[in-house]
Amino acid sequence: TETMDSTNNPVLAFLVHFAAGGVSGVLSKTLTAPMERVKILLQTQDVNAQVLSGEAKRYSGIINCITRVYTEQGLASFWRGNLANVIRYGPTAAFNFAIKDHMKALFPKYDNKTEVMKFFLVNMASGGLAGAGSLCITYPLEYARTRLAADVAKTRDFTGITDCLRKTIQKQGPLAVYKGFVVGVFSIVPYRAVYFGLFDTLQSRNPYKTCEQRWVKTAATASIAQFSTITAAYIIYPLDTVRRRLQLQAEKSLEQRVYTTTWECAHHLVKHEGALAFYKGAASNVFRSLGGALVLVLYDEVTNAYGWKVGP
């Protein structure tokens, strides 16, 4: 099979990477949706109006959250908000992969063995820019995903994605669905930078990537992907917690909000809940990160299988 480079039909190359990244993202997010919802519930329950009012009880931990969601809301509720996540993450993953590879082609080329740091920084820069660009387009869906996943009362606040966005805009205006966007950019850039940069750098030095035994090659890629995903996720987890808490108050009036700015939210967490509050639900992130690792593995396997490659 011929290798596809950025100078040979770049439009087709972009579409191929767009499709591979998008399909990988949708599959992984659907598989890991239950742990994603558990993470969001634990992250946001201290500012959830349904919990604060006593309408819903607090969760004491991951196991308690899983068992209660199942018994109180049913098995299907673990995928609550997943449609918004799939709609959001499909294009996000597709753009991230497609744009990242084309952006990387704009940077100077460095040898991954003799210029390791420069090679790593180029991977980080291209991954970070791709992540920031895609967030601008898909953030309202990210907002809807958080609000739908955090809805735990018997009488739900929102019936779906459209209802969530419509009610929020009606109450607080169109900018309300971008609540937490700034901290989102500050988190997505380092996350994507480490996520892609670390994976691409380690994968380029993976001694088993050309192994004839397919299971060995796949296992090695999966290990690198899982390490890259977990590392990136824990680096930005405090920012993710702040962003989701800000999102949960977006449709409320200023008088009803516990905090209104990123700094105020962070200060409140430290003062009233302790520094560890930034990592609430973080243990579930280990299992949830399997989704991110799966994206990288699927994308890598698909593009390698067909010899699709952008750039040298």
Side-chain angles (χ1 to χ4, degrees):
T1 306
E2 292 184 3
T3 300
M4 181 185 300
D5 61 40
S6 57
T7 59
N8 181 18
N9 201 339
V11 174
L12 181 59
F14 179 88
L15 292 175
V16 163
H17 284 260
F18 184 92
V23 171
S24 300
V26 168
L27 288 175
S28 71
K29 282 299 177 183
T30 300
L31 289 174
T32 60
M35 291 311 295
E36 171 78 8
R37 185 167 187 231
V38 169
K39 180 184 83 77
I40 291 174
L41 288 172
L42 293 173
Q43 269 184 312
T44 62
Q45 65 175 339
D46 289 289
V47 74
N48 191 323
Q50 296 166 342
V51 175
L52 294 176
S53 67
E55 188 178 358
K57 293 182 179 179
R58 285 177 52 84
Y59 300 106
S60 59
I62 295 175
I63 302 302
N64 177 256
C65 184
I66 292 172
T67 54
R68 281 182 49 200
V69 167
Y70 177 73
T71 56
E72 295 170 8
Q73 302 171 40
L75 181 64
S77 69
F78 282 107
W79 281 269
R80 185 175 293 174
N82 187 57
L83 178 60
N85 207 26
V86 165
I87 296 173
R88 173 194 72 84
Y89 197 80
T92 297
F95 273 112
N96 278 337
F97 281 107
I99 295 173
K100 175 185 72 76
D101 285 332
H102 282 271
M103 282 187 173
K104 191 189 297 183
L106 300 176
F107 287 92
K109 307 299 184 294
Y110 296 106
D111 189 272
N112 60 38
K113 294 180 180 178
T114 61
E115 299 174 298
V116 178
M117 183 53 66
K118 290 180 179 179
F119 183 81
F120 177 65
L121 290 174
V122 165
N123 285 328
M124 284 189 67
S126 58
L129 289 172
S134 64
L135 189 68
C136 295
I137 301 169
T138 61
Y139 195 81
L141 289 170
E142 169 67 17
Y143 164 78
R145 194 272 183 276
T146 299
R147 294 310 312 272
L148 292 172
D151 201 343
V152 294
K154 292 181 180 179
T155 304
R156 294 175 58 183
D157 289 338
F158 309 109
T159 58
I161 301 169
T162 304
D163 184 57
C164 174
L165 296 175
R166 179 178 57 80
K167 285 181 177 178
T168 301
I169 292 172
Q170 282 180 344
K171 289 181 179 180
Q172 296 296 328
L175 290 180
V177 297
Y178 278 89
K179 191 68 176 174
F181 176 76
V182 174
V183 71
V185 171
F186 278 105
S187 63
I188 199 67
V189 171
Y191 177 80
R192 292 297 173 189
V194 175
Y195 178 69
F196 285 119
L198 193 58
F199 176 79
D200 285 352
T201 302
L202 293 177
Q203 183 69 344
S204 71
R205 301 170 70 83
N206 178 9
Y208 301 104
K209 67 178 179 180
T210 57
C211 181
E212 292 183 1
Q213 292 181 293
R214 191 167 187 79
W215 72 270
V216 173
K217 186 170 98 172
T218 302
T221 300
S223 298
I224 291 172
Q226 182 68 356
F227 176 75
S228 302
T229 305
I230 290 176
T231 300
Y234 278 103
I235 285 174
I236 60 93
Y237 199 88
L239 292 174
D240 185 60
T241 297
V242 170
R243 176 172 62 90
R244 293 196 187 279
R245 291 203 176 195
L246 290 172
Q247 287 176 330
L248 217 63
Q249 301 185 105
E251 91 286 3
K252 294 181 173 62
S253 64
L254 291 175
E255 294 76 20
Q256 293 176 309
R257 295 177 186 176
V258 179
Y259 25 72
T260 57
T261 66
T262 300
W263 170 250
E264 194 177 339
C265 179
H267 182 263
H268 183 277
L269 279 169
V270 174
K271 183 178 179 180
H272 296 283
E273 300 176 46
L276 290 179
F278 287 107
Y279 282 92
K280 285 185 176 179
S284 63
N285 218 39
V286 174
F287 301 100
R288 190 190 69 87
S289 66
L290 288 171
L294 184 59
V295 171
L296 290 171
V297 173
L298 287 174
Y299 176 81
D300 203 56
E301 288 296 311
V302 169
T303 52
N304 284 337
Y306 293 93
W308 294 330
K309 183 182 179 184
V310 177

